[in-house]
mmCIF file of all heavy atoms in Angstrom:
data_model
loop_
_atom_site.group_PDB
_atom_site.id
_atom_site.type_symbol
_atom_site.label_atom_id
_atom_site.label_comp_id
_atom_site.label_asym_id
_atom_site.label_seq_id
_atom_site.Cartn_x
_atom_site.Cartn_y
_atom_site.Cartn_z
ATOM 1 N N ALA A 242 -19.025 10.756 3.785
ATOM 2 C CA ALA A 242 -19.104 11.638 2.613
ATOM 3 C C ALA A 242 -18.659 10.887 1.358
ATOM 4 O O ALA A 242 -19.315 10.958 0.310
ATOM 5 C CB ALA A 242 -18.234 12.882 2.834
ATOM 6 N N LEU A 243 -17.574 10.130 1.462
ATOM 7 C CA LEU A 243 -17.080 9.392 0.291
ATOM 8 C C LEU A 243 -18.061 8.286 -0.110
ATOM 9 O O LEU A 243 -18.311 8.064 -1.294
ATOM 10 C CB LEU A 243 -15.700 8.788 0.596
ATOM 11 C CG LEU A 243 -14.545 9.795 0.634
ATOM 12 C CD1 LEU A 243 -13.297 9.150 1.226
ATOM 13 C CD2 LEU A 243 -14.236 10.374 -0.748
ATOM 14 N N ALA A 244 -18.626 7.599 0.890
ATOM 15 C CA ALA A 244 -19.537 6.490 0.597
ATOM 16 C C ALA A 244 -20.789 6.981 -0.127
ATOM 17 O O ALA A 244 -21.388 6.248 -0.917
ATOM 18 C CB ALA A 244 -19.920 5.772 1.884
ATOM 19 N N THR A 245 -21.183 8.237 0.141
ATOM 20 C CA THR A 245 -22.418 8.771 -0.456
ATOM 21 C C THR A 245 -22.128 9.712 -1.625
ATOM 22 O O THR A 245 -23.021 10.414 -2.085
ATOM 23 C CB THR A 245 -23.242 9.531 0.616
ATOM 24 O OG1 THR A 245 -22.367 10.498 1.241
ATOM 25 C CG2 THR A 245 -23.795 8.614 1.679
ATOM 26 N N ASN A 246 -20.856 9.746 -2.049
ATOM 27 C CA ASN A 246 -20.473 10.620 -3.175
ATOM 28 C C ASN A 246 -20.867 12.067 -2.933
ATOM 29 O O ASN A 246 -21.479 12.707 -3.789
ATOM 30 C CB ASN A 246 -21.156 10.141 -4.458
ATOM 31 C CG ASN A 246 -20.173 9.392 -5.306
ATOM 32 O OD1 ASN A 246 -19.045 9.873 -5.517
ATOM 33 N ND2 ASN A 246 -20.556 8.225 -5.757
ATOM 34 N N SER A 247 -20.539 12.553 -1.771
ATOM 35 C CA SER A 247 -20.987 13.889 -1.375
ATOM 36 C C SER A 247 -19.838 14.883 -1.366
ATOM 37 O O SER A 247 -18.669 14.503 -1.371
ATOM 38 C CB SER A 247 -21.578 13.835 0.036
ATOM 39 O OG SER A 247 -22.625 12.915 0.103
ATOM 40 N N GLU A 248 -20.230 16.152 -1.294
ATOM 41 C CA GLU A 248 -19.236 17.216 -1.129
ATOM 42 C C GLU A 248 -19.416 17.760 0.285
ATOM 43 O O GLU A 248 -20.511 18.172 0.657
ATOM 44 C CB GLU A 248 -19.497 18.312 -2.163
ATOM 45 C CG GLU A 248 -18.411 19.326 -2.183
ATOM 46 C CD GLU A 248 -18.363 20.093 -3.517
ATOM 47 O OE1 GLU A 248 -18.921 19.623 -4.522
ATOM 48 O OE2 GLU A 248 -17.764 21.172 -3.494
ATOM 49 N N LEU A 249 -18.356 17.733 1.085
ATOM 50 C CA LEU A 249 -18.495 18.094 2.499
ATOM 51 C C LEU A 249 -17.218 18.737 3.004
ATOM 52 O O LEU A 249 -16.121 18.384 2.574
ATOM 53 C CB LEU A 249 -18.768 16.818 3.312
ATOM 54 C CG LEU A 249 -19.115 16.999 4.788
ATOM 55 C CD1 LEU A 249 -20.526 17.580 4.945
ATOM 56 C CD2 LEU A 249 -19.044 15.667 5.555
ATOM 57 N N VAL A 250 -17.378 19.700 3.923
ATOM 58 C CA VAL A 250 -16.214 20.277 4.597
ATOM 59 C C VAL A 250 -16.255 19.817 6.059
ATOM 60 O O VAL A 250 -17.270 19.987 6.740
ATOM 61 C CB VAL A 250 -16.233 21.826 4.542
ATOM 62 C CG1 VAL A 250 -14.961 22.389 5.181
ATOM 63 C CG2 VAL A 250 -16.373 22.315 3.109
ATOM 64 N N ILE A 251 -15.149 19.239 6.510
ATOM 65 C CA ILE A 251 -15.082 18.756 7.895
ATOM 66 C C ILE A 251 -14.215 19.736 8.667
ATOM 67 O O ILE A 251 -13.039 19.941 8.340
ATOM 68 C CB ILE A 251 -14.513 17.325 7.936
ATOM 69 C CG1 ILE A 251 -15.403 16.415 7.068
ATOM 70 C CG2 ILE A 251 -14.442 16.802 9.363
ATOM 71 C CD1 ILE A 251 -14.841 15.053 6.807
ATOM 72 N N LYS A 252 -14.819 20.382 9.669
ATOM 73 C CA LYS A 252 -14.130 21.471 10.380
ATOM 74 C C LYS A 252 -13.616 21.027 11.744
ATOM 75 O O LYS A 252 -14.222 20.165 12.374
ATOM 76 C CB LYS A 252 -15.097 22.648 10.575
ATOM 77 C CG LYS A 252 -15.503 23.281 9.264
ATOM 78 C CD LYS A 252 -16.381 24.476 9.521
ATOM 79 C CE LYS A 252 -16.399 25.347 8.262
ATOM 80 N NZ LYS A 252 -17.338 26.448 8.403
ATOM 81 N N LYS A 253 -12.580 21.689 12.230
ATOM 82 C CA LYS A 253 -11.947 21.399 13.528
ATOM 83 C C LYS A 253 -11.522 19.939 13.607
ATOM 84 O O LYS A 253 -11.786 19.242 14.594
ATOM 85 C CB LYS A 253 -12.898 21.718 14.688
ATOM 86 C CG LYS A 253 -13.247 23.177 14.814
ATOM 87 C CD LYS A 253 -13.874 23.425 16.163
ATOM 88 C CE LYS A 253 -14.187 24.890 16.357
ATOM 89 N NZ LYS A 253 -14.935 25.164 17.550
#
Side-chain angles (χ1 to χ4, degrees):
L243 286 168
T245 52
N246 258 312
S247 303
E248 188 158 342
L249 187 72
V250 183
I251 302 169
K252 294 183 162 174
K253 295 195 178 173

